[in-house]
Short mmCIF file of all heavy atoms in Angstrom, two decimals:
data_model
loop_
_atom_site.label_atom_id
_atom_site.label_comp_id
_atom_site.label_asym_id
_atom_site.label_seq_id
_atom_site.Cartn_x
_atom_site.Cartn_y
_atom_site.Cartn_z
N PHE A 33 74.86 174.44 181.45
CA PHE A 33 75.36 175.70 181.05
C PHE A 33 75.93 175.67 179.73
O PHE A 33 75.60 176.44 178.73
CB PHE A 33 76.29 176.34 182.15
CG PHE A 33 76.80 177.67 181.61
CD1 PHE A 33 76.10 178.81 181.59
CD2 PHE A 33 78.13 177.66 181.19
CE1 PHE A 33 76.62 179.99 181.12
CE2 PHE A 33 78.73 178.89 180.73
CZ PHE A 33 77.95 179.98 180.74
N ILE A 34 76.81 174.77 179.51
CA ILE A 34 77.50 174.50 178.28
C ILE A 34 76.56 174.23 177.10
O ILE A 34 76.65 174.77 176.03
CB ILE A 34 78.57 173.36 178.21
CG1 ILE A 34 79.77 173.77 179.31
CG2 ILE A 34 79.13 173.09 176.92
CD1 ILE A 34 80.49 175.06 179.01
N ASN A 35 75.58 173.31 177.41
CA ASN A 35 74.59 173.02 176.37
C ASN A 35 73.73 174.19 176.00
O ASN A 35 73.39 174.39 174.78
CB ASN A 35 73.70 171.90 176.81
CG ASN A 35 74.45 170.56 176.76
OD1 ASN A 35 75.17 170.26 175.79
ND2 ASN A 35 74.10 169.69 177.69
N LEU A 36 73.32 175.07 177.05
CA LEU A 36 72.60 176.25 176.75
C LEU A 36 73.36 177.14 175.75
O LEU A 36 72.81 177.69 174.86
CB LEU A 36 72.30 176.98 177.97
CG LEU A 36 71.39 178.26 177.91
CD1 LEU A 36 70.06 177.85 177.38
CD2 LEU A 36 71.33 178.86 179.37
N VAL A 37 74.67 177.36 176.04
CA VAL A 37 75.50 178.26 175.19
C VAL A 37 75.60 177.69 173.81
O VAL A 37 75.38 178.36 172.78
CB VAL A 37 76.92 178.38 175.81
CG1 VAL A 37 77.87 179.07 174.72
CG2 VAL A 37 76.87 179.13 177.07
N ILE A 38 75.70 176.38 173.69
CA ILE A 38 75.83 175.73 172.36
C ILE A 38 74.49 175.94 171.59
O ILE A 38 74.44 176.29 170.46
CB ILE A 38 76.20 174.21 172.43
CG1 ILE A 38 77.62 174.09 172.95
CG2 ILE A 38 76.03 173.47 171.12
CD1 ILE A 38 78.06 172.68 173.37
N LEU A 39 73.34 175.59 172.25
CA LEU A 39 72.04 175.69 171.58
C LEU A 39 71.78 177.14 171.11
O LEU A 39 71.26 177.35 170.03
CB LEU A 39 70.99 175.16 172.49
CG LEU A 39 71.08 173.72 172.84
CD1 LEU A 39 70.03 173.29 173.94
CD2 LEU A 39 70.98 172.76 171.58
N LYS A 40 72.10 178.06 172.04
CA LYS A 40 71.85 179.55 171.69
C LYS A 40 72.75 179.91 170.50
O LYS A 40 72.25 180.54 169.54
CB LYS A 40 72.08 180.39 172.82
CG LYS A 40 71.15 180.34 173.99
CD LYS A 40 69.96 181.27 173.81
CE LYS A 40 69.18 181.27 175.09
NZ LYS A 40 67.89 181.71 174.85
N TYR A 41 74.06 179.59 170.52
CA TYR A 41 74.94 180.00 169.43
C TYR A 41 74.52 179.44 168.19
O TYR A 41 74.59 180.05 167.13
CB TYR A 41 76.35 179.52 169.86
CG TYR A 41 77.32 179.77 168.74
CD1 TYR A 41 77.78 181.12 168.47
CD2 TYR A 41 77.91 178.77 168.02
CE1 TYR A 41 78.67 181.36 167.42
CE2 TYR A 41 78.86 178.97 167.02
CZ TYR A 41 79.18 180.28 166.72
OH TYR A 41 80.09 180.49 165.71
N ARG A 42 74.08 178.14 168.14
CA ARG A 42 73.67 177.44 166.92
C ARG A 42 72.27 177.82 166.43
O ARG A 42 71.80 177.28 165.39
CB ARG A 42 73.85 175.99 167.04
CG ARG A 42 75.34 175.57 167.20
CD ARG A 42 76.15 175.90 166.05
NE ARG A 42 77.58 175.54 166.25
CZ ARG A 42 78.51 175.73 165.46
NH1 ARG A 42 78.32 176.41 164.33
NH2 ARG A 42 79.77 175.42 165.74
N GLY A 43 71.46 178.60 167.33
CA GLY A 43 70.12 178.93 166.93
C GLY A 43 69.20 177.80 166.93
O GLY A 43 68.15 177.86 166.18
N VAL A 44 69.43 176.85 167.83
CA VAL A 44 68.50 175.64 167.85
C VAL A 44 67.14 176.07 168.45
O VAL A 44 67.04 176.79 169.52
CB VAL A 44 69.11 174.58 168.77
CG1 VAL A 44 68.14 173.45 169.00
CG2 VAL A 44 70.37 174.04 168.11
N ARG A 45 66.03 175.74 167.84
CA ARG A 45 64.69 176.02 168.30
C ARG A 45 64.24 174.74 169.01
O ARG A 45 64.13 173.74 168.40
CB ARG A 45 63.81 176.40 167.20
CG ARG A 45 64.18 177.79 166.59
CD ARG A 45 63.16 178.11 165.49
NE ARG A 45 63.75 177.67 164.25
CZ ARG A 45 63.21 177.69 163.02
NH1 ARG A 45 61.80 177.88 163.00
NH2 ARG A 45 63.73 177.33 162.03
N ARG A 46 64.04 174.93 170.36
CA ARG A 46 63.59 173.78 171.07
C ARG A 46 62.36 174.22 171.92
O ARG A 46 62.20 175.38 172.41
CB ARG A 46 64.66 173.21 171.93
CG ARG A 46 65.19 174.23 173.01
CD ARG A 46 66.43 173.75 173.63
NE ARG A 46 67.07 174.84 174.31
CZ ARG A 46 67.07 175.22 175.52
NH1 ARG A 46 66.35 174.34 176.35
NH2 ARG A 46 67.65 176.24 176.08
N GLU A 47 61.41 173.14 172.03
CA GLU A 47 60.17 173.36 172.87
C GLU A 47 60.65 173.07 174.37
O GLU A 47 61.74 172.70 174.69
CB GLU A 47 59.19 172.51 172.30
CG GLU A 47 58.73 172.86 170.93
CD GLU A 47 57.61 172.08 170.32
OE1 GLU A 47 57.14 171.18 171.12
OE2 GLU A 47 57.32 172.23 169.15
N GLU A 48 59.55 173.19 175.24
CA GLU A 48 59.88 173.09 176.65
C GLU A 48 60.35 171.58 176.96
O GLU A 48 59.97 170.59 176.31
CB GLU A 48 58.67 173.48 177.52
CG GLU A 48 57.33 172.71 177.31
CD GLU A 48 56.48 173.10 176.18
OE1 GLU A 48 56.78 173.96 175.37
OE2 GLU A 48 55.44 172.61 175.98
N ASN A 49 61.03 171.55 178.09
CA ASN A 49 61.35 170.22 178.67
C ASN A 49 62.28 169.39 177.90
O ASN A 49 62.21 168.21 177.96
CB ASN A 49 60.12 169.59 179.26
CG ASN A 49 60.45 168.56 180.31
OD1 ASN A 49 61.31 168.80 181.05
ND2 ASN A 49 59.69 167.38 180.35
N VAL A 50 63.13 169.98 176.98
CA VAL A 50 64.07 169.24 176.32
C VAL A 50 65.32 169.06 177.26
O VAL A 50 65.81 169.95 177.87
CB VAL A 50 64.56 169.97 175.02
CG1 VAL A 50 65.76 169.20 174.36
CG2 VAL A 50 63.47 170.04 174.04
N LYS A 51 65.73 167.73 177.44
CA LYS A 51 66.79 167.42 178.34
C LYS A 51 67.91 166.78 177.59
O LYS A 51 67.76 165.94 176.75
CB LYS A 51 66.31 166.43 179.48
CG LYS A 51 65.24 167.03 180.31
CD LYS A 51 64.80 165.98 181.31
CE LYS A 51 63.75 166.64 182.23
NZ LYS A 51 63.13 165.72 183.15
N ILE A 52 69.18 167.33 177.93
CA ILE A 52 70.35 166.77 177.32
C ILE A 52 71.27 166.32 178.49
O ILE A 52 71.62 167.13 179.38
CB ILE A 52 71.11 167.85 176.55
CG1 ILE A 52 70.26 168.26 175.39
CG2 ILE A 52 72.36 167.33 175.96
CD1 ILE A 52 70.72 169.55 174.63
#
Side-chain angles (χ1 to χ4, degrees):
F33 174 75
I34 296 298
N35 285 325
L36 182 63
V37 170
I38 291 167
L39 296 174
K40 290 265 187 205
Y41 175 69
R42 296 297 178 184
V44 175
R45 289 183 265 167
R46 61 192 163 101
E47 296 178 5
E48 65 272 7
N49 203 32
V50 170
K51 294 181 181 170
I52 301 172

